[in-house]
């Protein structure tokens, strides 16, 4: 069940690696792909924080969805204005994709702060990926670094999750042992 819950994040990391490679290699064709990636990230963020922040009542759930939709709609508005004719002549094709990475990364970090820490980690990964595009001209080195960072992020998520699970189990075992001793 745990791996099924983490699958959306693994898909986001894998898709990001592909998009970063495309941004580095074919910058003119990839900006629109980043725009289509935004709703996928938004859905993962919304569902990732649902368990912890949506609450139990219908009112709190609607309010949670409303806040998340506003959060991600703000990014959509900025991206829309970013691609208007008046702004496009300031940037070239190479910078369009990198700016999209930074905008999406910042929005994901903010979502992680307010909803699910794993989304914040993903946002940091996005921003680091955007930085590596500027540092490395060799696509193989770039993919190695971005892929390695994705692996580190996934491993970090698994380690944090296993530590939290073991703490919960230790507390429940200790509580069960106390109850067993009290009844004896």
């Amino acid at each position: 069940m745990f791996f099924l819950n983490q699958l959306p994040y693994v898909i986001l990391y894998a898709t990001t690696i592909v998009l970063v490679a495309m941004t580095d290699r074919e910058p003119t064709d990839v900006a629109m792909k980043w725009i289509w990636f935004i709703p996928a990230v938004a859905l993962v963020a919304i569902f990732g924080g649902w368990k912890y922040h949506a609450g139990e009542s219908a009112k709190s759930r609607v309010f949670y969805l409303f806040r998340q939709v506003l959060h991600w709609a703000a990014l959509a508005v900025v991206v829309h204005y970013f691609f208007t004719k008046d702004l496009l002549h300031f940037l070239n094709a190479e910078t369009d994709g990198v700016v999209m990475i930074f905008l999406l990364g910042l929005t994901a970090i903010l979502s992680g702060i307010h909803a699910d820490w794993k989304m914040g980690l993903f946002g940091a990964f996005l921003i680091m990926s955007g930085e590596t595009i500027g540092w490395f001209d060799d696509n193989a080195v770039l993919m190695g670094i971005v892929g390695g960072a994705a692996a580190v992020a996934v491993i970090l998520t698994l380690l944090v999750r296993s530590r939290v699970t073991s703490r919960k189990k230790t507390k429940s075992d200790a509580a069960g042992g106390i109850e067993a001793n009290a009844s004896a």
Side-chain angles (χ1 to χ4, degrees):
M1 183 68 172
F2 169 71
F3 292 107
L4 187 60
N5 289 335
Q6 303 311 314
L7 185 61
Y9 286 100
V10 171
I11 292 170
L12 288 182
Y13 281 105
T15 305
T16 298
I17 291 169
V18 171
L19 287 173
V20 166
M22 291 172 68
T23 301
D24 188 47
R25 192 182 40 197
E26 307 164 0
T28 56
D29 301 332
V30 78
M32 291 308 289
K33 291 177 176 72
W34 279 106
I35 290 172
W36 286 105
F37 186 54
I38 292 171
V41 176
L43 285 174
V44 172
I46 291 169
F47 288 119
W50 184 266
K51 179 178 176 183
Y52 303 106
H53 300 288
E56 296 298 322
S57 70
K59 182 179 177 181
S60 66
R61 289 180 177 182
V62 168
F63 185 64
Y64 171 77
L65 283 174
F66 179 72
R67 285 186 325 214
Q68 287 293 318
V69 168
L70 282 178
H71 177 91
W72 290 98
L75 174 63
V77 168
V78 169
V79 167
H80 170 73
Y81 285 119
F82 176 69
F83 283 100
T84 61
K85 283 193 265 183
D86 295 337
L87 292 178
L88 278 178
H89 71 275
F90 286 110
L91 301 171
N92 58 30
E94 292 174 351
T95 56
D96 288 349
V98 175
V99 170
M100 287 297 301
I101 293 170
F102 287 136
L103 288 172
L104 183 56
L106 175 62
T107 306
I109 287 174
L110 292 174
S111 178
I113 290 170
H114 297 291
D116 185 13
W117 65 270
K118 293 177 291 222
M119 185 54 64
L121 184 64
F122 176 70
F125 170 75
L126 277 168
I127 290 175
M128 187 274 317
S129 298
E131 282 293 317
T132 59
I133 289 173
W135 290 342
F136 299 102
D137 289 334
D138 183 9
N139 207 11
V141 172
L142 174 68
M143 289 303 87
I145 291 171
V146 172
V152 167
V154 170
I155 289 169
L156 181 63
T157 301
L158 293 173
L159 289 173
V160 168
R161 175 71 177 164
S162 67
R163 186 172 180 148
V164 168
T165 303
S166 68
R167 281 186 181 173
K168 286 181 181 178
K169 185 176 180 181
T170 304
K171 286 181 182 180
S172 67
D173 289 346
I178 293 170
E179 290 172 5
N181 289 338
S183 64

